[in-house]
Amino acid sequence: MVEKKTKRTKQSINREELESRILRSAEVLFAEKGYSGSSMEAIAAAASISKQNLIYYFANKELLYKRVLKEMLDIWIEKLSFLETQGDTPEAVIRRYVREKMALSRLYPNGSKVFAHEIISGAPVLKEYLMSHLKPQFDRDVVLVKSWINKGLVDDIDPEHLFFTIWAATQTYADFSVQMEVLLGKKRLGDADFERAELAVTDFVVRALGAKKNN
Amino acid sequence: MVEKKTKRTKQSINREELESRILRSAEVLFAEKGYSGSSMEAIAAAASISKQNLIYYFANKELLYKRVLKEMLDIWIEKLSFLETQGDTPEAVIRRYVREKMALSRLYPNGSKVFAHEIISGAPVLKEYLMSHLKPQFDRDVVLVKSWINKGLVDDIDPEHLFFTIWAATQTYADFSVQMEVLLGKKRLGDADFERAELAVTDFVVRALGAKKNN
DNA sequence: TAATTTTTATACCAAATGGTAAAAAACTTA
DNA sequence: TAAGTTTTTTACCATTTGGTATAAAAATTA
């Protein structure tokens, strides 16, 4: 029981492959039906395996749910901690921030929806994680915006609520996509819609900031 | 079987009272646990009646769910069809619109959450309603904003995405309140928070519009 | 007061669900 | 190829859940 190094055998490759297939299937179902509305059997069927085999990979539903959430959050934490990019103008930083956040809505609509369901439900699973991981980053980012204000680089806006607005305005393109499809009279939001959305939201935010063009 | 007019007897009064107590209880549970996560027994318990008695008032769960949704939407449709208030400056109209929408988040957080769950889940119940009721109003409001743009009253922004942003930025104070509580380090969002939020969001939008002060 | 209607409680049930137990099958490695 | 390990399948089960059937109790009306 020493050299148990995880060799990339045929099995372990399949395992990884199957695991992520399960996670993606679960993500879709949790997004559409919520936690309670997604049965293990349905998730298994979506991944084309038996329920018992699913349980072999993920011992119980809660574990599976937490994995789906954690996967999504890890991506977010990674992608959204770049407000610290020093040296750029506030406008450049904000534009990049909005672009990144919008890309997450486009690339991970299901993960975004699972996250939304979770938060709306009171974040029973994620509350701790938000406190320990998101809040520190949030506080830092707020300080940065405040420093912009103090230096006169942007107008005297409300930093906390600026972030709430940015998050909401970008997140909505994942969560409420169905509503938009109905209102825009489209079957699906396409790349063009997301580009227009990104442009619109970015401009709103930049204009709201009153960011000075000359750094 | 003729004079079956609904007299306001002691019973019918109780009936109304109990019905709305049930609806409020259901709303809370649907908001927190989603449709599948809310059992009829739990809803009954929350309303302090027996499950069988609940079923006497609402024959099945889907009906109850639809009633909760419809209640919320009727309020929205009513409150959010005032972009037509002619004669006011765009800024005044927008400020009032944002204020009203924000008030809905403050006054009906649970209904808002149930609505959000429903939309995120693909609006299986509400899709038709959105098409028949929300889209016409949306189209009218977009036309109004476009007329503002043509008259040079506001900058050349993207009307559709303007509304998406306003809705998202206001709705988020109901749906994602838990996240904000964590980030702001508060147990509960209070009136003061909502006032600050309303101010911030209104200003963002007005500044984004570039609304001319002089009509 | 008697008849009728409305409300509440008791008993019950079929289907679905999360999960266990155990063994067969497939794969890896010595 | 044989032993050991990992993966998959089959069988099963206790609990929960939405809902039915039925009748007792309470209120209203004739």
Side-chain angles (χ1 to χ4, degrees):
Chain A
M1 47 175 60
V2 176
E3 36 234 286
K4 208 59 190 310
K5 294 184 67 177
T6 317
K7 288 179 195 161
R8 290 209 133 245
T9 64
K10 212 184 268 180
Q11 281 192 346
S12 76
I13 287 173
N14 280 344
R15 174 160 207 132
E16 269 175 42
E17 224 175 75
L18 189 45
E19 259 195 17
S20 80
R21 200 170 85 217
I22 292 171
L23 285 169
R24 278 197 306 278
S25 300
E27 200 177 54
V28 170
L29 276 168
F30 285 143
E32 190 176 323
K33 311 273 190 181
Y35 178 79
S36 303
S38 309
S39 71
M40 291 293 267
E41 200 164 5
I43 294 169
S48 307
I49 57 174
S50 70
K51 185 181 100 174
Q52 286 67 18
N53 198 13
L54 166 60
I55 290 173
Y56 172 72
Y57 283 96
F58 295 91
N60 59 62
K61 195 163 94 164
E62 201 182 330
L63 213 116
L64 180 53
Y65 177 68
K66 285 179 178 172
R67 275 287 300 275
V68 169
L69 273 181
K70 182 145 185 5
E71 249 198 354
M72 186 75 250
L73 273 171
D74 284 346
I75 293 173
W76 282 0
I77 295 290
E78 185 205 331
K79 294 280 180 188
L80 291 182
S81 59
F82 51 65
L83 260 195
E84 297 106 358
T85 21
Q86 301 288 358
D88 280 328
T89 63
E91 179 172 343
V93 173
I94 286 287
R95 280 189 190 277
R96 192 163 54 239
Y97 189 83
V98 172
R99 192 185 323 120
E100 279 290 345
K101 188 77 179 59
M102 193 70 91
L104 293 180
S105 285
R106 183 170 62 239
L107 293 175
Y108 308 100
N110 293 313
S112 294
K113 284 172 184 169
V114 179
F115 176 78
H117 278 309
E118 163 72 12
I119 301 292
I120 294 170
S121 297
V125 167
L126 283 185
K127 207 165 190 177
E128 285 303 313
Y129 189 87
L130 295 180
M131 284 182 59
S132 60
H133 288 71
L134 191 58
K135 182 156 169 44
Q137 184 177 309
F138 176 74
D139 290 340
R140 275 201 309 278
D141 292 346
V142 165
V143 166
L144 176 57
V145 173
K146 279 182 179 165
S147 82
W148 289 348
I149 297 172
N150 288 336
K151 289 178 197 156
L153 295 176
V154 301
D155 289 345
D156 184 21
I157 41 84
D158 191 318
E160 285 92 350
H161 294 271
L162 168 72
F163 282 107
F164 296 160
T165 296
I166 292 177
W167 292 343
T170 49
Q171 179 91 20
T172 196
Y173 286 92
D175 302 343
F176 282 62
S177 57
V178 172
Q179 194 182 35
M180 295 173 191
E181 284 157 14
V182 167
L183 295 181
L184 296 178
K186 301 191 172 187
K187 287 253 162 161
R188 274 280 173 222
L189 295 187
D191 284 346
D193 297 303
F194 271 96
E195 273 162 40
R196 244 186 97 191
E198 186 188 312
L199 206 71
V201 172
T202 313
D203 278 350
F204 287 148
V205 175
V206 169
R207 293 161 64 94
L209 276 174
K212 309 303 180 291
K213 280 282 176 179
N214 49 337
N215 61 327
Chain B
M1 45 175 65
V2 176
E3 37 232 289
K4 208 59 190 309
K5 295 183 66 175
T6 316
K7 287 179 194 161
R8 290 208 133 245
T9 64
K10 213 184 269 182
Q11 279 192 348
S12 75
I13 287 172
N14 280 343
R15 173 162 207 130
E16 269 176 42
E17 222 176 75
L18 188 46
E19 259 194 19
S20 80
R21 200 171 85 217
I22 291 171
L23 285 169
R24 278 197 307 277
S25 299
E27 202 177 53
V28 170
L29 275 168
F30 286 142
E32 190 176 322
K33 311 273 189 180
Y35 177 79
S36 304
S38 308
S39 72
M40 290 293 267
E41 200 164 4
I43 293 170
S48 307
I49 56 174
S50 70
K51 186 180 99 174
Q52 286 68 18
N53 198 12
L54 166 61
I55 290 173
Y56 173 74
Y57 282 95
F58 295 91
N60 59 62
K61 196 164 92 165
E62 200 182 330
L63 214 117
L64 180 52
Y65 176 68
K66 284 180 178 172
R67 274 287 300 275
V68 169
L69 273 181
K70 183 146 184 5
E71 249 198 356
M72 186 75 251
L73 273 171
D74 284 346
I75 294 173
W76 282 1
I77 295 288
E78 186 207 330
K79 294 281 179 187
L80 291 183
S81 60
F82 51 66
L83 259 195
E84 297 104 359
T85 21
Q86 300 289 359
D88 279 328
T89 63
E91 178 172 343
V93 173
I94 286 288
R95 279 190 190 277
R96 192 163 56 240
Y97 189 82
V98 173
R99 193 186 321 122
E100 280 289 345
K101 189 76 179 60
M102 193 68 92
L104 293 180
S105 284
R106 183 170 60 240
L107 292 174
Y108 308 100
N110 292 312
S112 294
K113 283 172 185 170
V114 178
F115 176 78
H117 279 309
E118 163 72 11
I119 302 291
I120 294 170
S121 297
V125 168
L126 283 185
K127 207 165 190 176
E128 285 303 313
Y129 190 88
L130 294 180
M131 285 182 59
S132 61
H133 287 71
L134 191 57
K135 180 155 170 45
Q137 184 178 311
F138 176 73
D139 290 340
R140 276 201 310 278
D141 292 348
V142 166
V143 166
L144 175 59
V145 172
K146 280 182 179 165
S147 82
W148 289 348
I149 296 172
N150 288 336
K151 288 178 198 157
L153 296 176
V154 301
D155 289 345
D156 185 21
I157 40 85
D158 191 319
E160 286 92 350
H161 293 272
L162 169 71
F163 281 107
F164 297 160
T165 296
I166 293 178
W167 293 342
T170 49
Q171 179 93 19
T172 196
Y173 287 91
D175 302 344
F176 281 63
S177 56
V178 172
Q179 195 183 35
M180 295 174 191
E181 284 159 14
V182 167
L183 295 180
L184 296 178
K186 302 192 171 187
K187 287 256 162 161
R188 274 279 174 221
L189 295 187
D191 285 346
D193 296 302
F194 272 97
E195 273 163 40
R196 244 187 96 193
E198 187 188 312
L199 206 70
V201 172
T202 314
D203 278 350
F204 287 148
V205 175
V206 169
R207 292 162 64 96
L209 276 175
K212 309 302 179 291
K213 281 281 177 179
N214 49 337
N215 61 327

